[in-house]
Amino acid sequence: MPTVPMLRYWLSEHPSIVNFRWSHSQSWGSTWPFLVAAVTFYVVAAVILHLLMILLRRVRQVPLGPIPAIHSLSMAVISAVVFTGILLSAAAEIRDTRWLWRRSRTKTTPFQWLLCFPIGTRSSGRVFFWSYIFYLSRFLHLIRTFLTVLRRRRLPFFHLFNQSILILTSFLWLEFSQSFQILAILSTTLLHFLVYGYRFLTSVGLLATCFQFVLNCQAALLSCNLLCHFGVFLFHVLKGGCNGIGAWFCNSVLNSAILLLFVKFYKENRCDGIHKNPPRF
């Protein structure tokens, strides 16, 4: 079997992907109590570890060996798989439903669908399978927090807030079949592939450390999200509504808070001319 058809089958046509359905009884981590408990445990554990490292002032840095490099490589690979999977799945969904869009009253286009799901969309099928995988991968990202605390004894509020909000937003995407999530996942996984790949190469000594690269990537992602949120709002007003608009509004508020915190951090570090402690994501 050729490589491309095989890749397409395993990432977008496999029965487990096509028949996926977000369910509180069948999908792990799909309930509100789990979400609240997981985020609370993460914040409390990170703060406790941070306080312990402050108390143990003699311990400048805990030797972690190859663990940071392994984590960065793993996250880069996972991000690449999710990016490819949701890209192929979105293309397959467009191919299979284009005929229905042409017959609809609003004459939905592929670009409009990427930003604005039709009213009544359910969290099932190919793209929501990869949205679920992306949601699960957010918990693996949390390991970075504890590695940062163990190595640097620092716990930036921006980092803690950003990681917690990203878990919440990815949960809302699935719970309310929120519009815009396909482009958000594509941009985020592409960014994570670049950043974690860069971190892996610096960990093994193949690249020199340049925190400006991480900052610029984060700025690019936030700018892309801002443009997409504006596009969703326009389609919602002009095209008769987008699915999950309540969750979209909540995410817009949360993303605005992240943007303000990032701009403040970026401005302070740019003025000081240092980038010793960039935001982690």
Side-chain angles (χ1 to χ4, degrees), residues 247-265:
W248 168 85
F249 178 77
C250 179
N251 281 341
S252 297
V253 174
L254 296 174
N255 286 335
S256 298
I258 292 176
L259 179 61
L260 290 175
L261 288 173
F262 176 79
V263 169
K264 181 177 182 241
F265 176 90

Side-chain angles (χ1 to χ4, degrees), residues 115 180 222-232:
L115 279 175
F180 152 70
L222 292 173
S223 300
C224 178
N225 284 343
L226 182 63
L227 290 175
C228 289
H229 276 286
F230 182 70
V232 173

Side-chain angles (χ1 to χ4, degrees), residues 59-76:
V59 182
R60 294 185 177 180
Q61 187 180 73
V62 177
L64 298 174
I67 294 178
I70 293 173
H71 179 259
S72 295
L73 179 61
S74 300
M75 295 313 307

Side-chain angles (χ1 to χ4, degrees), residues 150-187:
L150 290 174
R151 295 177 67 181
R152 304 170 185 271
R153 295 193 304 177
R154 293 175 179 174
L155 184 62
F157 172 76
F158 176 87
H159 174 60
L160 203 63
F161 180 77
N162 188 41
Q163 293 286 17
S164 301
I165 293 306
L166 287 175
I167 292 179
L168 174 60
T169 55
S170 57
F171 178 88
L172 293 176
W173 290 345
L174 288 157
E175 183 69 9
F176 297 101
S177 307
Q178 184 193 313
S179 300
F180 152 70
Q181 61 181 280
I182 295 177
L183 292 180
I185 294 174
L186 284 172
S187 60

